[in-house]
Amino acid sequence: MKQLKMPVFFIASFILFLFSIVIATSFGGVTIPFFETVQVFLAKLPFSYFETDSTFEQILLYIRLPRVIVASIVGASLAVCGVVMQSLFRNPMAEPGIIGISSGGSLGGVIAIYFGLSHISTFFVPVFGFLGALLTLLLVYIISTSNGKTSMLTLLLTGVAISSFISACSSLIITYASYGQLQQILYWLMGNLNGRDWDDVKLLILPFILCNILIFSYRKQLDILLLGEEEAKNLGIHVQRTRTILLISASLLTGVCVSLTGAIGFVGLIVPHMIRLLIGPTHRYLIPTSLIGGALFLTLADLIARLVIRPAEIQIGIITAFLGAPYFIFLILRQKKMEGLL
């Protein structure tokens, strides 16, 4: 595939992302005209003289915009984490949940719901979700590390095994959950962006900024790691330390997202893979464009989830699965064809 020029692609993606925010905040149970939405946003700029409808302003700024911002941050985070995982494993089918982080976060949320902690405070679900993701990361890393070295194959196999065990634990809890708890648990497991507010944005923004800055600072090391471990060592890269820092950063960022929204799959698989085909594998460009692409992808997926059966809505995890599963199958068939198996 012919690769696009980076500046053109990045600028086009960013403009499309801004446009998607306006569109996503315009549609919902009540449709607000596009230019009314733009006017509300412009009215908040310094020295603006626009007058706005107070009802529209409340809907846009305090109900829809926080949800759209959360979707953007989560989509951007999962896409960047996908870049890291695909580069470290040197596998285009790797994604953030590959080492069990998403399963661990989901189990934490399920435990909080089952024991009624979600009725005490809405913050218990994300807190337990993050702890579940963090403990899973530590467990997988401890098991797969020996004599200060971590085998990526062992890490992958350990992640799959731990993920299966954690999924079984979640299923066991679901078996004994009441009908009300079952509804809440399934709602959580399918990915949930409903009811997000500015407090959720505040919870996400700091880890989002810090982890992405750290990951971007390792862009050159990621480029070199694509050449192989031995080549990276010959070029002066401390492979074990670099892998550890990047894995922890990506896993913690994934854990924060899962703890707040539940498991949303395939974003970290689809977005970085497609963007790599369009602009190439250089991480100096791949990381920021994947960030924008992930934000755009999940914002549009959330919009589809809200519009398909309006005024009700589909869980966003269902939408990303419908989009991601066929693409994943396509990647498998493509890989088999390249290996001469088809």
Side-chain angles (χ1 to χ4, degrees):
M1 180 181 291
K2 185 179 180 181
Q3 293 178 352
L4 302 177
K5 292 184 177 179
M6 170 59 193
V8 175
F9 183 78
F10 185 81
I11 292 170
S13 299
F14 188 70
I15 291 173
L16 189 57
F17 168 61
L18 294 178
F19 182 73
S20 73
I21 289 179
V22 179
I23 293 294
T25 51
S26 296
F27 289 97
V30 176
T31 299
I32 299 173
F34 178 83
F35 289 106
E36 290 280 358
T37 302
V38 174
Q39 192 168 309
V40 168
F41 290 148
L42 291 177
K44 294 300 175 181
L45 296 176
F47 310 111
S48 175
Y49 296 98
F50 284 101
E51 293 184 3
T52 60
D53 184 297
S54 60
T55 303
F56 286 168
E57 186 174 315
Q58 288 292 319
I59 293 172
L60 289 171
L61 298 182
Y62 299 102
I63 298 176
R64 292 187 189 165
L65 186 58
R67 174 175 176 151
V68 170
I69 296 299
V70 168
S72 302
I73 293 175
V74 171
S77 300
L78 295 177
V80 170
C81 293
V83 171
V84 173
M85 295 297 180
Q86 289 174 15
S87 299
L88 290 180
F89 287 97
R90 289 194 290 167
N91 188 331
M93 289 179 279
E95 55 100 25
I98 196 170
I99 56 175
I101 306 302
S102 297
S103 298
S106 297
L107 177 60
V110 168
I111 291 172
I113 294 169
Y114 180 74
F115 287 101
L117 299 177
S118 59
H119 295 296
I120 299 173
S121 172
T122 55
F123 283 101
F124 273 112
V125 174
V127 166
F128 270 66
F130 178 71
L131 290 175
L134 182 61
L135 290 174
T136 302
L137 168 63
L138 292 174
L139 181 61
V140 170
Y141 192 75
I142 289 170
I143 293 174
S144 58
T145 301
S146 178
N147 297 322
K149 295 183 178 180
T150 306
S151 165
M152 300 309 289
L153 177 60
T154 305
L155 187 78
L156 175 61
L157 295 175
T158 304
V160 171
I162 295 295
S163 182
S164 299
F165 176 76
I166 289 173
S167 296
C169 292
S170 296
S171 299
L172 181 64
I173 293 173
I174 289 171
T175 303
Y176 292 98
S178 65
Y179 180 74
Q181 289 173 332
L182 183 60
Q183 282 188 313
Q184 194 176 356
I185 287 171
L186 291 178
Y187 195 67
W188 160 261
L189 291 177
M190 290 188 292
N192 173 30
L193 286 172
N194 192 30
R196 301 300 99 188
D197 56 28
W198 288 111
D199 287 335
D200 297 317
V201 176
K202 292 174 185 176
L203 284 173
L204 283 172
I205 196 67
L206 185 60
F208 171 74
I209 292 171
L210 293 178
C211 288
N212 275 290
I213 288 174
L214 182 59
I215 289 170
F216 188 71
S217 70
Y218 276 82
R219 60 194 181 276
K220 292 181 180 178
Q221 288 89 332
L222 281 168
D223 285 338
I224 295 172
L225 283 172
L226 290 176
L227 301 174
E229 185 173 328
E230 289 302 318
E231 186 69 24
K233 288 179 179 178
N234 292 336
L235 292 171
I237 301 297
H238 194 302
V239 175
Q240 176 66 17
R241 183 176 62 195
T242 300
R243 281 177 173 172
T244 301
I245 291 171
L246 288 170
L247 274 174
I248 290 175
S249 300
S251 298
L252 289 179
L253 190 54
T254 302
V256 170
C257 293
V258 170
S259 72
L260 194 62
T261 63
I264 299 175
F266 294 105
V267 180
L269 169 71
I270 298 173
V271 176
H273 186 266
M274 292 186 71
I275 290 179
R276 188 180 285 106
L277 292 176
L278 291 171
I279 67 168
T282 306
H283 288 86
R284 177 185 176 187
Y285 305 131
L286 184 60
I287 292 172
T289 47
S290 293
L291 187 147
I292 296 295
L296 173 62
F297 177 82
L298 205 60
T299 298
L300 294 178
D302 182 46
L303 177 60
I304 294 170
R306 288 187 281 126
L307 292 181
V308 171
I309 54 173
R310 193 168 52 164
E313 63 179 68
I314 301 174
Q315 295 300 97
I316 192 168
I318 297 174
I319 300 296
T320 58
F322 268 121
L323 296 172
Y327 190 78
F328 187 67
I329 294 171
F330 162 75
L331 286 181
I332 294 173
L333 295 175
R334 183 170 175 265
Q335 186 71 24
K336 289 176 70 176
K337 186 176 181 180
M338 291 173 64
E339 293 172 357
L341 298 177
L342 280 181

